[in-house]
Every structure is written in structure tokens, then in C-alpha cells.
Amino acid sequence: MEIKAVFFDIDGTLINDSRTVLKSTEKAIHSLKEQGILVGLATGRGPFFVRPFMEQLQLDFAVTYNGQYIFSRDKVISATPIDKQHLQQLIAYARKNRKEIALGTRDGVFGSRIMSFGLSPVSQWSSRFVPKKLVKSVTNGFNRLIGKVVPQNTQELSALSRQPIYQVLMLATPQESEQVAEQFPELKFTRSSPYASDIINQGTSKLEGIKRIGEEFGFDISQVMAFGDSDNDLEMLSGVGLSIAMGNGTSKVKEIAKHTTSSNSQDGIHRALEHFGILASEKVFVSSDPHFNKVKEFHGLMDESTQEEPIVWSNQDAIHRADFKLEELVEFVQAASQGEEEFDAAIRQLHAALDKAQTKVKSKKKAEVSLTGQVDALIDLLYFTYGSFALMGVDPERIFDIVHQANMGKIFPDGKAHFDPVTHKILKPDDWEEKYAPEPAIKAELERQIRAYQRNQSIAAETEKSQS
């Protein structure tokens, strides 16, 4: 299925370790927009932080504060502040238990100098060098030290809480966050930093925010590609059609994503878009047919080259390609046969049909090498295939994307295809069956289409009944 929208997390994804957007990323976003693909951000940051990126990159929309505040270039799509009662209870808890917190408004994050420092470029950069096993000690020590020098201003928090607050940040280890979360089941605790929790409403998330934008702009969640690196990206990456983990991402993110690219400082975004054929390589031409572009990208990786000038197939290569197609046709007939006896009889009919086709074709014209003849035959074959889907009542768009992702999943992490040294057959990564095997996904998509048809029939019947 064609990707209609791409979303990027910001920290550790859209921007590199120097807090800038790579030139390759800027170029990729420009190319996406030229293709008519919508581009947005999905971040735990607030709208005040996001707007400069929106202007710089001419982005279409943003999901901020982990889904609490959503806006496009010309309007606010959704704003869901934290319930005042829950907010006051959280502030009281933080005061009682000496937990440093900050409140996120539309215009900034206020109320804590510690948290302000934690959100700064210096702190974000330095946190990458703290071993995971020391995070708790660093967090607690930093909290105690700065808390004594610059105690939290509770009056400022009370005054701020009168405004719409879309996210609360609390300085706490993952273990401490779990303990606090037990006290506030109506709130959701997620993390984009090793030192702090992002606290939002239950039922909201980056994924839900993307769904809300999809309703506004007319795309389905399955038509979304998303990039992320942190644990607050997990729900988003598990729910979109195509999920990409950055090479610098957490282990959980890499486990759940369908593909892991290089890091945010090594052209990870550009490489992933090329990998899936959404962004054409500079060395190849771009077709207006997105399906062709995806297949071409696959062959570019598989064969380590692409064909840019139209050429004819040699006789032996044409036979080789036809052999691939014949195998699929045999599988097609097998899937229409009840038992081996009926299947064998069908194959005999195919042999007879092949002889008949040979006689028919020879009677029409003399055999000769012809680019036009090859293209005419292949496009008819493609047209017949679409015709078969039309007569089956099956929409192949999403199914094509499933098969494409399965084929791209055969590319190893080094970006290359690996082949058996004896048989020369393409090898599959160890996790291919688990992540990419297409049959279960095809079955699920067909069941979805059947349910959609039945639902439409039911609605039509109810409408007809109510009008009679």
C-alpha cells in the first residue's frame, strides 16, 4: 500500500546529536512533499518547541506532548489538557514526596529549573554517556543537590496550574515512575528521557494523535510510516503501517519496529526511505507508479545495480523470468484445486493451454527480438492480474505492500542481500518469519476486506429497511 503520511519523532530521530537536522533529512522531506506525501512530527515536546521545525521544513502537522496537543500549519486540531483535579493531586503528591516536576503549557515548560536544564541541549547530549545502571544514582543525586540549592517554587506551580496544562514532567527513575503511576491510574506515564517521566491523560498517545490527524487529512493509520528511538515511541511504532527504529534507539524500540535503520547522525531517515523505495536513489529514475519504485528499489539492493535505459531481455533471461511467473501460476491453480487429483488434472490442462498459446502466437507473427513485443506482453500480463483481482473482489493495494515489506525484509542489516554459496538462493535473516512472513498478514487483510463488505451490506440493508 502506498504511504500517504510520514511522522518523525524529534529528539534522537529528526535531529542529530548536535541538535540539527541533517541535510540528507531535509532533502528527504522535500522529496516526500514533492511526491504528495504528508509529513509531520510526533513528539513529547510542546508546540512552542516544534513550530521552528514546522517553518524550517514546511511540515504539514505535529502531534505534540505525546498526543495532548495536535495542530497543523493553519489550525489547532485537538487540545486535551490534564484534568484540573488530577493535576492538583499530582502537584500535591510531588510536594509531599519531594518530587521535582514541571508543567507543560502551550507556550513552554515551567515550574522547575532542574527540568529546564534537563530539557536543554547540554543535558540531552550528556545523558547519552551515562550508563543505564547509573541512571538512578545520577537522577537521585542530581535531584537532591539542585533541590537544595534551587528549591521548587510551589506557588509558581499553583499559579501555572490555572492554565491549561498538557503534560507534566517528573524527575524520576523508571522504577520510581512505576510506583507513582500506581497512585494515579487515571494518568499515563511514559518516557522520552532516562531521567524523567512524561505524564499525560490515559487514552492519549502519539498513535492516537496520528489517528486524529488521519481523520482530518484523509489517511488510514496503515498508510503511515513512522520513525522513533525512545520508549514513548513504542505505541506509535507498533500501530502504524510501517515502523522504523533509529540505529541509536532503545532495544525495545528495535524489537517492535519492522525495520532498523542507521543512527540519527548517519543519514538514518534518508536510508530507510530509500530502503523501502519511498525515496528513490539519486542514481535511478523515479516513476509515477509507487509500486514500480518499490520493486525497483528492491532489485537495486538485491542486484546492487539498476537498469536505467530500456533494453530487451535475451532469450535465456526471458525464459528465466517466465519461469518465475509460471511457478506463481501453478500456485494459483493449486489454490483453486480440491485435492491432488484435481490439481494434477489442472496442470495437464495448463500444458495443453501452453501448446495452444504457442500455435496461436506463431500464427500471428514471426519470432524476433522486440522491446515493444516484450513490453506489450508484460503489460497485458499485469492487466490480466489486476483483472483477476477485480473479478475476485479483492483490493490488492495493501497486499502488495505486505509482499513488498516481506521481500525487503530479506535484506540483512548491512543493507545487502545474502545468498547461499552453493544453491545461490537468497537467504533470509533469522527473524524474517517472525517479522515479515506475508501469509498471516495477507490472510488478516483479506478478512478485513470481507468484514468491510459485510458491514457495508448490513448498513445498506438497514437503510433500505428504514426507508421502506
Side-chain angles (χ1 to χ4, degrees):
M1 178 182 59
E2 185 179 1
I3 295 297
K4 292 188 176 181
V6 177
F7 284 82
F8 303 107
D9 172 51
I10 295 181
D11 297 286
T13 302
L14 180 73
I15 56 179
N16 63 11
D17 295 343
S18 300
R19 320 298 295 173
T20 59
V21 180
L22 296 176
K23 291 296 183 184
S24 65
T25 300
E26 289 191 27
K27 188 173 182 180
I29 291 173
H30 179 70
S31 179
L32 290 173
K33 293 184 69 63
E34 282 190 331
Q35 296 179 55
I37 297 175
L38 298 167
V39 185
L41 300 173
T43 177
R45 295 279 195 170
F48 60 92
F49 185 88
V50 166
R51 285 194 178 93
F53 293 104
M54 295 277 288
E55 295 175 7
Q56 174 190 349
L57 303 171
Q58 293 295 296
L59 303 179
D60 297 293
F61 33 61
V63 176
T64 66
Y65 281 141
N66 292 303
Q68 298 274 109
Y69 194 97
I70 307 165
F71 64 100
S72 64
R73 294 183 60 81
D74 57 0
K75 68 177 182 178
V76 176
I77 296 173
S78 175
T80 313
I82 296 174
D83 179 82
K84 291 297 183 184
Q85 181 179 353
H86 298 156
L87 180 62
Q88 293 300 333
Q89 291 172 347
L90 190 60
I91 293 173
Y93 178 92
R95 183 186 300 119
K96 178 180 178 181
N97 293 275
R98 302 176 68 86
K99 292 290 184 185
E100 191 78 13
I101 63 172
L103 308 182
T105 72
R106 182 189 63 181
D107 301 315
V109 175
F110 306 104
S112 169
R113 295 186 184 181
I114 297 177
M115 302 299 286
S116 296
F117 174 77
L119 292 171
S120 68
V122 174
S123 175
Q124 294 281 320
W125 175 81
S126 62
S127 68
R128 300 174 64 86
F129 302 99
V130 178
K132 291 183 178 179
K133 62 182 179 180
L134 297 180
V135 167
K136 181 176 181 180
S137 299
V138 171
T139 302
N140 291 338
F142 187 70
N143 198 353
R144 287 194 300 268
L145 175 63
I146 303 300
K148 291 179 180 179
V149 177
V150 188
Q152 183 147 39
N153 188 331
T154 56
Q155 290 183 342
E156 183 182 8
L157 287 178
S158 297
L160 282 168
S161 67
R162 299 189 186 99
Q163 301 181 42
I165 301 299
Y166 298 99
Q167 182 167 272
V168 176
L169 284 79
M170 177 179 288
L171 191 65
T173 65
Q175 295 77 16
E176 289 172 336
S177 295
E178 291 178 5
Q179 295 172 3
V180 180
E182 292 177 358
Q183 306 295 317
F184 297 92
E186 65 282 349
L187 296 175
K188 184 175 184 178
F189 287 66
T190 184
R191 301 184 75 84
S192 56
S193 161
Y195 304 120
S197 274
D198 300 339
I199 307 172
I200 56 177
N201 291 315
Q202 284 286 4
T204 57
S205 65
K206 291 184 179 183
L207 181 64
E208 292 302 319
I210 292 173
K211 289 179 180 178
R212 178 68 184 84
I213 290 179
E215 294 172 0
E216 189 79 15
F217 283 81
F219 59 81
D220 186 77
I221 194 70
S222 63
Q223 297 171 311
V224 171
M225 182 182 195
F227 291 74
D229 71 299
S230 298
D231 289 354
N232 70 334
D233 297 317
L234 291 173
E235 187 175 347
M236 172 179 71
L237 296 179
S238 66
V240 299
L242 183 54
S243 53
I244 310 297
M246 303 303 292
N248 52 286
T250 67
S251 58
K252 289 182 180 179
V253 167
K254 292 178 181 178
E255 287 173 8
I256 204 167
K258 292 181 180 177
H259 176 73
T260 297
T261 185
S262 52
S263 77
N264 61 326
S265 295
Q266 297 177 315
D267 303 320
I269 288 174
H270 195 282
R271 291 184 181 184
L273 290 167
E274 279 192 345
H275 179 84
F276 284 99
I278 298 168
L279 185 67
S281 168
E282 294 179 356
K283 299 178 181 179
V284 304
F285 68 80
V286 180
S287 170
S288 59
D289 181 351
H291 292 160
F292 173 84
N293 290 334
K294 291 176 183 179
V295 175
K296 185 170 185 177
E297 180 69 15
F298 168 74
H299 278 286
L301 291 168
M302 188 70 59
D303 305 327
E304 298 187 338
S305 65
T306 58
Q307 180 60 40
E308 302 308 304
E309 179 186 3
I311 59 171
V312 295
W313 287 96
S314 69
N315 179 264
Q316 288 303 308
D317 286 339
I319 292 172
H320 186 58
R321 297 302 302 178
D323 189 12
F324 287 149
K325 298 176 180 66
L326 283 173
E327 182 178 345
E328 301 305 324
L329 288 173
V330 170
E331 285 190 14
F332 174 69
V333 172
Q334 183 187 48
S337 301
Q338 295 183 352
E340 295 301 318
E341 185 176 343
E342 186 174 33
F343 175 51
D344 291 340
I347 295 303
R348 289 193 293 272
Q349 292 181 53
L350 277 182
H351 280 291
L354 182 61
D355 293 336
K356 181 180 177 181
Q358 179 189 13
T359 302
K360 181 179 179 180
V361 170
K362 289 181 68 174
S363 69
K364 290 165 60 177
K365 55 185 175 181
K366 183 180 179 180
E368 63 178 352
V369 176
S370 168
L371 176 62
T372 301
Q374 290 182 5
V375 170
D376 178 64
L378 289 173
I379 204 67
D380 283 344
L381 185 61
L382 182 61
Y383 201 92
F384 277 125
T385 301
Y386 272 109
S388 297
F389 279 121
L391 295 172
M392 293 172 76
V394 172
D395 182 353
E397 186 179 16
R398 294 189 184 186
I399 297 170
F400 180 94
D401 197 55
I402 291 168
V403 172
H404 175 64
Q405 290 181 27
N407 286 332
M408 294 302 289
K410 296 175 185 177
I411 305 300
F412 279 69
D414 62 3
K416 298 180 179 180
H418 293 187
F419 298 88
D420 186 286
V422 178
T423 65
H424 301 291
K425 289 185 176 180
I426 187 170
L427 300 175
K428 299 172 182 175
D430 292 338
D431 62 353
W432 186 87
E433 287 291 339
E434 178 185 355
K435 284 189 173 183
Y436 298 104
E439 289 82 2
I442 291 174
K443 181 180 178 182
E445 168 58 18
L446 290 172
E447 290 172 349
R448 185 197 68 79
Q449 292 188 25
I450 292 170
R451 288 195 303 270
Y453 170 78
Q454 293 172 341
R455 184 168 58 253
N456 290 337
Q457 289 294 100
S458 177
I459 292 172
E462 288 295 326
T463 302
E464 183 178 354
K465 183 178 178 181
S466 65
Q467 293 175 347
S468 63

